[in-house]
Each structure stands twice: as C-alpha cells, then as structure tokens.
Amino acid sequence: MSKAFYAALEQAVIGMVTISTTGKFIYINPAYAQLLGYSQTELQNLSFQEITHPDDLDLDLGHFEQLLAGQIKGYAIDKRYLNKAGQIIWVHLTVSLVSAEQDQAAFIFSQVEDITARKRQEQRQLDVQQRMHAAQRLSHLGAWELDLRTGQEIWSDEFFRICGLIPGSIAEPSYQDRSKLMHPDDNEHIVKIWEEAYKTGQPYQLETRIIRPDGEIRYLLVKAEFIKQKGEITHVRGTCLDITSSSQYKQELLRSNQELERFAYVASHDLQEPLRKILVFGQYLAALLAEKLSPKEADYFERIQKSAEHMQTLTNDLLAYSRLDSHKKTFVIVDLNEILAHTLEVLELSIEESQAQIKADRLPVIMGDPPQLKQIFLNLLSNALKFKAPNRPVRIQIQSQELDLGQLKLSFIDNGIGFPPLHQKQIFDIFKRLHVRSKYEGSGIGLSICKKIAERHGGILSATGSLDQGARFDLILPRPTNQESQHAK
C-alpha cells in the first residue's frame, strides 16, 4: 500500500488494522490500539483471536474461514473485544480480503467502530422493557397503541393474556380485533366517552367489559391518551387493568347494601304507625288519668312517652339514612352562605339559649344537593350547640379554604366537650354514641348521614377532637368546574 494510504490510516478516528491469514496483526493504527488499551507493539505479539470475547469467537472465526475460502467477499458483525484491563468493548467490525499480489501475500483489512455506548444503551432499554413486561404481568396491566390512520394496533403480551389470547397469536392486531372482544352492551358508552375525549384531546378513563374467546366476561379499567404529530391526533396509547375480582366484589357489596337499605326503609316505615298510636294513646291516657295516677304511675307513663319519642326519632333518622342513595342525584349551583343563613335561622332559639357566638368566613359556591347540604350544616352546628362545655361560652367557627386538585375544605370548629382522639373514626358509625342518652339526646345516626352525604357529593368528612378541648369537623368537597358553573347558569 502507498505511504499516502498508510498516512490516512494513521489519522483515522476509527480503528483500522491489517491481519495475516493466520490472524496475526500486521498493521495497527493508533485509534485501534487506543480503543483496546494496548500499545501498538503489544498488539503486534497478539492475534485477534486472543482479544476477542470467548462467546463471540466462533461467530467471528466462522466468517473468517468463509472469507479465506472465497465463499464470501467480506462480512460485518457486532462483536466484543476484551481490552487490556479485561473490560468488554463492543465494536462494529467490517472485514474484507485483500488478494495477494506479486510482491505481497494476501491479507485481511478490518475497520473497527466503537459501539460500546450504543450497546449499553440498548441493554438498558432491554432491561427496562423486561422489567416493564414483568411489572405488567404481575399487575395484570396490559398496554396497547392504535394508529388512527391505519387502524393497526400494537398489543403487549399482557394485553393478549387479559383478552384470553396467547401472546403474538394475532400477528398484526387491529382496532377491529379489539372491537370483537368488547361487550356489545358497552359499545354506546365507550363511543360516547371516546368522542367527548377526542374533541378536547384530553386523556380519558372508563370501565368496560370484554368477552374472551371462551365466553368468559372480564371487567377492565381502561386509561388512554391521544398522541399528536404536527398538531394532529394520529395515535391513541392506553393501558387496561383487569379489575374483574374487585368489580364483582363491588357489585356484591352494592347488592348487599341495597338489601340492607331496603330492609331499613321497610322496617322503619312500618314502625311509624304503631309508634304514632303509642304516642297518641299514651298522651290520651296520661291526660285522662292524670288526677288518678300516683307519682310512681305518672313516672311510668312519662318513661313510656320518652321511649316512644326516642323510637320515633330513631325510625325517622333511619328512614332519612336509607333514602339518601335512592334520592335522585341532581346537583345545582349552591351558595353555601345561603345554606348557612338558613341553618342559623332554624337554630335561632338554641343559639340564643346557649348564648353562642358563631363566626364564619365567606363561604364558596359549589355544585350540590341543597336539602342534603342543609342537613350537613344543621347536624354539625346543632351538635356543636348540644355538646357544649358547661364552664365556658359556646364559640363556633366555620372556616373556608381552597385546596389543590380542585377541592375546597370547610372546617366546623367548636370549643365544646370534644371527644377522645381514638374515637375520631368510630364517631361516624351508625348508631354510635359517645355519650349517654340521658344527658345528650339523639339517635346516633346524624353523623353517619353527614358522612354519607359528603361521599355522595364526591367529598370526605373527617373529625378530630380532644376531650374537653372541643371538636373539629373537616368537610372536603370538589369545586365546580368552569363548565359546570356555566351549564348551571
């Protein structure tokens, strides 16, 4: 080779070598030596076989022998070297045979490009992909992607399994293949959510059912997002989680709750008339026999009347509790300042008798059911008045605070007798009383009703308190969206 050619090899940024037909190095450029951490002199005493990774040697030698036999003109492979420190160096190797000339034996010319960084990145991606597949398998989370331009889809292995299919059993899945699995009763619901989400380009979520090839019905939670290219929606990418077990449990729990609520309604409703007669005839007898009754007999009549009145309160509250879910859920824009004003008017006499001071922030406007919101305010404020401390004036604060994630918090804070902190969850249990009825009247259902109303509004009602240090009830509710506010107007 000419001196000019060798000079070019010396300046090359990739490794270049010439090798004898036995594998010994003839020429080594600086880039090649630097890549492997050897000096050029050290490499002169080695063969390429000695620095090739053992696992890649057979592949390399196989091509090398084919090249010498004239079966191929050259070859290119990715292989591993072991550098002087014993570290793995990935390279892309291009090899060709230079035929013998009159004054020169045949030799091998090789170009070596360092691809270690690329291979490490590929390995990292492979590791991530394997972990992702393992996570999907363990969590039963499938993934899919739809190309809206072609209708073709990509399904993960776990998506195949969720659908009752063997991974890869459909070579090129399409939207039509997925549509065949959808439960026909859910199609209208799916299309409606899809169309609304597509108009805005926002992610969407829905629960739906599929029918597997063997006829088994599975419940799925689907979450998806739209992918845009140059401002146009071209793809939809989503996940699906098999929630069959939890969905069946929820349905069973719902049926059980409905049966309990029907029982509570029927029981309390059927008790109304007998109780009314006990009260009426009890009052009639007490008046008729008033002058003939001894003090002990009069006391018995009074106890009967009080027990009947308590039973009537219980049945009325039980009816109210059982009717909450059957009540039609029609939310409107509600000004909570008006709800508070109405509640204070209802409690006016109790407030005057207890000489209570009630201070309130400016309250927000929300979406809700006015009668049920009035019930929450009435229960919480009447409790604050009822459970007052005997040694101090009643002070009640109603605070309003905006939270993140589109929520707001109303806090009802009093300085009454409070309750032990360990009861802060039990206090919402139905019929749960923390104080004896002879001292504080009530059915033990009021806070259960408040909690259920809060949940029905998509909110949370919680309580904190300390004995003789007052109580605090925090009501967290969703703020109305701009769309809801405008729709209500």
Side-chain angles (χ1 to χ4, degrees), residues 289-304:
L289 303 173
E291 297 179 358
K292 301 178 182 180
L293 294 175
S294 67
K296 190 173 183 180
E297 291 169 337
D299 179 60
Y300 287 157
F301 264 102
E302 185 178 356
R303 291 188 184 189
I304 291 172

Side-chain angles (χ1 to χ4, degrees), residues 20-22 63-72 97 106-108:
S20 71
T21 54
T22 61
H63 288 302
F64 189 77
E65 290 169 0
Q66 286 180 302
L67 183 66
L68 294 179
Q71 296 174 354
I72 56 176
L97 176 64
F107 64 92
I108 308 298

Side-chain angles (χ1 to χ4, degrees), residues 60-84:
D60 200 356
L61 284 176
H63 288 302
F64 189 77
E65 290 169 0
Q66 286 180 302
L67 183 66
L68 294 179
Q71 296 174 354
I72 56 176
K73 294 181 179 180
Y75 64 93
I77 60 170
D78 291 348
K79 63 174 277 187
R80 287 165 291 178
Y81 282 132
L82 294 176
N83 68 7
K84 189 174 180 178

Side-chain angles (χ1 to χ4, degrees), residues 154-166:
I154 300 171
W155 294 358
S156 71
D157 288 352
E158 191 58 26
F159 186 85
F160 274 98
R161 294 188 189 98
I162 289 172
C163 295
L165 301 168
I166 298 172

Side-chain angles (χ1 to χ4, degrees), residues 32-166:
Y32 188 87
Q34 184 180 4
L35 174 66
L36 295 171
Y38 289 98
S39 68
Q40 289 169 291
T41 303
E42 287 173 323
L43 286 172
Q44 293 283 356
N45 296 317
L46 297 172
S47 66
F48 80 85
Q49 293 94 325
E50 292 175 275
I51 60 173
T52 296
H53 193 287
D55 293 344
D56 294 345
L57 188 55
D58 287 344
L59 174 66
D60 200 356
L61 284 176
H63 288 302
F64 189 77
E65 290 169 0
Q66 286 180 302
L67 183 66
L68 294 179
Q71 296 174 354
I72 56 176
K73 294 181 179 180
Y75 64 93
I77 60 170
D78 291 348
K79 63 174 277 187
R80 287 165 291 178
Y81 282 132
L82 294 176
N83 68 7
K84 189 174 180 178
Q87 298 170 325
I88 293 175
I89 305 296
W90 272 99
V91 300
H92 180 68
L93 173 67
T94 304
V95 180
S96 58
L97 176 64
V98 179
S99 302
E101 296 180 356
Q102 290 181 351
D103 59 345
Q104 182 179 284
F107 64 92
I108 308 298
F109 178 69
S110 300
Q111 299 179 74
V112 178
E113 180 184 359
D114 185 359
I115 60 169
T116 304
R118 191 189 81 194
K119 283 292 184 178
R120 286 175 180 167
Q121 179 62 26
E122 289 175 355
Q123 186 60 47
R124 283 194 291 268
Q125 291 175 343
L126 180 61
D127 291 344
V128 169
Q129 190 176 42
Q130 289 174 341
R131 286 195 292 269
M132 183 181 69
H133 287 164
Q136 288 181 354
R137 185 177 65 255
L138 292 171
S139 63
H140 301 295
L141 183 69
W144 53 271
E145 184 172 314
L146 165 64
D147 187 332
L148 293 173
R149 298 164 299 184
T150 65
Q152 293 301 118
E153 294 200 353
I154 300 171
W155 294 358
S156 71
D157 288 352
E158 191 58 26
F159 186 85
F160 274 98
R161 294 188 189 98
I162 289 172
C163 295
L165 301 168
I166 298 172

